[in-house]
Amino acid sequence: MNPKPPEDGRSISTQTQYFMKNRLQAPVLLSIITLLGLITSKADAALLIGNTEDNNIVVFDESTGTFQGNFTTPGLGGLQAPDALTIGPDSNLYVSSGGNSGLNLFDPAYPQDSAVLRYSLTGEFLGVAASGGGLTRPYGNAFAPDGSLFVSSFRTNQILRYDVTTGAFLGVFASDNNSGLGSVNGLNGPNGLLFGPDGSLYVTTQGSANNISGGLTFPFASQVLRYTPEQVAGLAPSEAPNVLIDQPTTLPESEFISLLGLALAPTDDSLYVSDFAGGIRQYDLAGNLLSVLSTNYTGTAPSSNFIGSLTFGSGANSDDLYAVGFDRTNANLGSVLAYAGAQGSAGTFSGDVFTSSRLIRPIGVVAVEGVPEPSTVAGLLLSLGGLGLARLRQRRSQIKL
């Protein structure tokens, strides 16, 4: 096992040299001097990231990739193996938690803690937002146009609905129509959830199902399914989703396909889909492939790093795409991947990567504004990184896919 690097992947002095060399140019030195006296209490743009093995959520700065502090302590509110992170319409954070992805469902030790937990944006635990109704290892969660919360129940091949105000279970929205055993072009291992601008529901599936003995298998294609606005509203049966994107061709950097995260482009006209095995693909809303981004930041063949979810940034970084990943050959050490303007190369990793010992097998990520910072030093680094981001965007815009 390789030793863990310093907290932010490099020493403080080396990190300062890195920003000075690669992000800061002579025309902004006067602004830097001015910023030395600046004291900020909030990050203008931050990423909340869930560590599935440390059972906590941490804060990273979007512009610099630096660790800002712990958003939650390990296990706060019963947090276990956090997956999807979503900012709700009430400006609180909703986190899928608990259960187990691979354990036999009939094992007496199978966890009974599957839930969606709610936290304020200051990290205060606000209670359980959704549980029960057969929820078993929740993955994706998303708010419908009517305000109800849809949650992927990964191990039962279902999407469940909840009223987060009362905590009431509202029923099963969709299933594989085969008691969790899977079906061709069905809801097989539902993962990421995303509501489109027209009210359609997009769902990534891993292609998994349970066997009759309760074990997890992978007999089906990994796909992106679409439920129409009429199905979402209950005006049409939800038994038969549309296959928007069939299982794509394996990328050179990966050995299998396992579609995971979903993000809507800032222009609302395309979807970005992360693949756990490697790569991010962009599709138009008709399911046509538009571009591919390599996520092989370890530069290995096949890639030794897996990829979690993805998000567009906030504020001045709203056009930039972020993902999280971890190196399975190095104790699941995690990294933040950044693509300025959501641009990059399909063949080799061309984004920015920030590796930190504070990230251990990260999966969920969401961008927020105004998250409290633990120190004025972090506020200074945020300001320096923000000044350099415009040049980073300019450099990335010249990269051809």
Side-chain angles (χ1 to χ4, degrees), residues 56-303:
N56 69 339
I57 299 169
V58 293
V59 184
F60 275 72
D61 177 70
E62 284 183 25
S63 298
T64 66
T66 53
F67 173 70
Q68 301 296 298
N70 292 320
F71 182 77
T72 69
T73 55
L76 178 65
L79 186 64
Q80 293 292 315
D83 198 85
L85 309 181
T86 300
I87 304 299
D90 57 0
S91 297
N92 290 317
L93 177 69
Y94 291 80
V95 184
S96 295
S97 170
N100 187 284
S101 300
L103 188 65
N104 190 293
L105 289 176
F106 299 147
D107 190 315
Y110 192 90
Q112 303 299 309
D113 58 351
S114 292
V116 176
L117 308 180
R118 178 167 39 212
Y119 300 86
S120 73
L121 288 186
T122 60
E124 177 187 3
F125 176 59
L126 300 179
V128 175
S131 64
L135 182 62
T136 308
R137 188 42 181 149
Y139 273 177
N141 69 72
F143 283 87
D146 68 358
S148 61
L149 181 66
F150 282 48
V151 185
S152 291
S153 181
F154 174 69
R155 288 303 304 272
T156 61
N157 286 353
Q158 294 173 313
I159 297 173
L160 308 178
R161 294 179 61 240
Y162 298 88
D163 182 331
V164 297
T165 301
T166 65
F169 172 59
L170 300 179
V172 176
F173 167 72
S175 73
D176 65 3
N177 306 307
N178 195 24
S179 302
L181 301 179
S183 57
V184 175
N185 294 331
L187 195 64
N188 305 310
N191 205 324
L193 300 180
L194 174 71
F195 283 97
D198 67 345
S200 294
L201 175 63
Y202 299 92
V203 186
T204 57
T205 66
Q206 284 193 4
S208 59
N210 302 307
N211 58 31
I212 58 174
S213 300
L216 186 68
T217 63
F218 294 85
F220 299 104
S222 180
Q223 302 169 318
V224 177
L225 307 180
R226 174 181 177 267
Y227 293 89
T228 67
E230 292 75 21
Q231 289 174 310
V232 170
L235 302 176
S238 58
E239 285 82 1
N242 301 305
V243 177
L244 179 72
I245 302 166
D246 207 350
Q247 180 164 306
T249 302
T250 304
L251 299 177
E253 64 192 60
S254 58
E255 295 182 292
F256 60 95
I257 299 291
S258 185
L259 303 181
L260 192 156
L262 289 164
L264 185 67
T267 51
D268 287 351
D269 58 359
S270 65
L271 296 172
Y272 286 79
V273 185
S274 65
D275 185 344
F276 181 74
I280 296 171
R281 298 170 176 86
Q282 179 192 14
Y283 298 89
D284 65 25
L285 298 186
N288 300 304
L289 181 65
L290 300 178
S291 67
V292 176
L293 296 172
S294 171
T295 58
N296 186 15
Y297 63 87
T298 53
T300 52
S303 177

Side-chain angles (χ1 to χ4, degrees), residues 314-320 322 340-341 343 386 388-398:
S314 58
N317 304 325
S318 59
D319 290 333
D320 300 330
Y322 299 88
Q343 297 183 43
L389 194 60
R391 291 187 178 273
L392 176 64
R393 283 201 191 93
Q394 184 178 14
R395 176 166 59 86
R396 287 288 179 268
S397 68
Q398 299 171 356

